[in-house]
Amino acid sequence: MDTYGDMVTLLLCFFVLLYSMSTISEQNWKALVMSFNPDAVETVTDPEGNDGPNADPNEDDGSGLGITQAEIDNDIESLFEALQGYVNDQGLQNDVSVSKGDGKVFVTFNSVVFFDGNDSRLREDGKPILETMGNILSRVDKSVDEVRVMGHTAQAIPNQPNEVMGDRALAAMRSSNALAYIQLHCSVDPARMISEGYGQWRPVSNNQNETERAKNRRIEMIVSGRNLEEELKDDITKYDANK
């Protein structure tokens, strides 16, 4: 009887413990979670998976920004149309080209639009173009993953490489100055804006005459749209030299 009584007592304690766990205080549970993660955000989970932590990443709200992947894709399409429309309206087809593909918008500028020969200072008549580009980018800032501006030079003498330091510095300064001016007139997160200088090493034409060299002297801009599914795996704070 003593053994039986002990067993019943233990079973009673066990079921009391289970009952107490099944009626945990919501406030105490929130306090416990916050103690482990002070940045935790309360969400409501939909049993059907349409909302909350179990929602489809393509239907997610974009890390609290209230945007879906479909809206991002539409914004990038709108960005392409706006940039292309601006170029056509201003008659800049000979100086600026706009294309798109794979969730990105590509813009190529003839360098003479912004810079004098062997000079990295922005021309006054080119600044309004960059300002307008920045204003257009601001319309879709929440959908932009990255704005990358790249500077290129031409090989001054065919079959003879440019002086290395001057070539690289000129390309880098031109891309930096162009990007900085866009940033001044753009609400895109500056952490997502990058400038690069390639010098003469990524030509799109040969350097046999002035017409072909002019094609190589250029500034390029690539605007990438966000990918919410990829953002579940990584974020902007984890960018490093290995990316």
Side-chain angles (χ1 to χ4, degrees):
M1 291 296 294
D2 289 342
T3 302
Y4 176 76
D6 288 342
M7 182 183 69
V8 171
T9 302
L10 291 174
L11 285 174
L12 176 63
C13 292
F14 178 70
F15 284 113
V16 169
L17 178 62
L18 289 178
Y19 177 76
S20 65
M21 292 175 63
S22 68
T23 57
I24 186 171
S25 168
E26 181 179 356
Q27 293 301 322
N28 290 339
W29 174 253
K30 290 180 181 179
L32 176 64
V33 172
M34 293 298 293
S35 68
F36 286 104
N37 182 9
D39 298 324
V41 178
E42 182 178 357
T43 59
V44 179
T45 300
D46 184 343
E48 296 182 359
N50 297 322
D51 195 10
N54 295 325
D56 186 333
N58 288 326
E59 299 298 329
D60 189 54
D61 66 353
S63 301
L65 293 178
I67 194 169
T68 66
Q69 189 63 53
E71 291 172 328
I72 291 173
D73 295 340
N74 288 335
D75 279 350
I76 297 303
E77 179 67 24
S78 298
L79 174 65
F80 166 72
E81 294 175 355
L83 291 175
Q84 190 175 54
Y86 170 70
V87 170
N88 293 336
D89 292 344
Q90 299 298 315
L92 298 171
Q93 294 90 334
N94 293 329
D95 298 318
V96 183
S97 65
V98 183
S99 59
K100 64 176 180 176
D102 194 25
K104 300 178 181 179
V105 176
F106 305 89
V107 185
T108 301
F109 306 96
N110 184 335
S111 68
V112 298
V113 176
F114 302 125
F115 307 102
D116 293 322
N118 293 321
D119 196 340
S120 61
R121 292 173 297 180
L122 286 170
R123 293 166 53 101
E124 290 300 320
D125 53 351
K127 290 181 179 180
I129 299 176
L130 293 177
E131 181 176 343
T132 301
M133 295 285 179
N135 291 333
I136 294 175
L137 279 169
S138 295
R139 302 174 192 172
V140 297
D141 56 355
K142 289 182 173 58
S143 296
V144 172
D145 179 61
E146 184 178 87
V147 177
R148 185 179 297 267
V149 175
M150 299 161 287
H152 303 268
T153 62
Q155 193 169 314
I157 302 175
N159 304 319
Q160 179 178 324
N162 297 334
E163 190 273 322
V164 174
M165 292 298 295
D167 183 59
R168 290 284 187 178
L170 178 61
M173 285 301 297
R174 284 181 168 180
S175 63
S176 295
N177 288 343
L179 182 63
Y181 201 81
I182 292 174
Q183 181 179 330
L184 289 174
H185 301 89
C186 180
S187 57
V188 173
D189 181 0
R192 298 181 180 274
M193 306 181 78
I194 302 169
S195 62
E196 299 174 330
Y198 289 109
Q200 70 174 72
W201 302 108
R202 295 197 181 182
V204 294
S205 184
N206 61 56
N207 293 283
Q208 298 305 310
N209 56 61
E210 183 56 34
T211 300
E212 301 305 315
R213 285 194 291 271
K215 297 177 182 178
N216 292 328
R217 298 188 190 101
R218 67 196 191 279
I219 298 293
E220 295 177 317
M221 180 172 70
I222 301 177
V223 183
S224 305
R226 293 173 57 192
N227 185 322
L228 297 185
E229 186 172 357
E230 289 298 320
E231 288 183 17
L232 293 177
K233 306 173 185 176
D234 204 352
D235 59 58
I236 189 70
T237 62
K238 297 181 182 178
Y239 276 18
D240 56 43
N242 295 322
K243 294 287 184 185

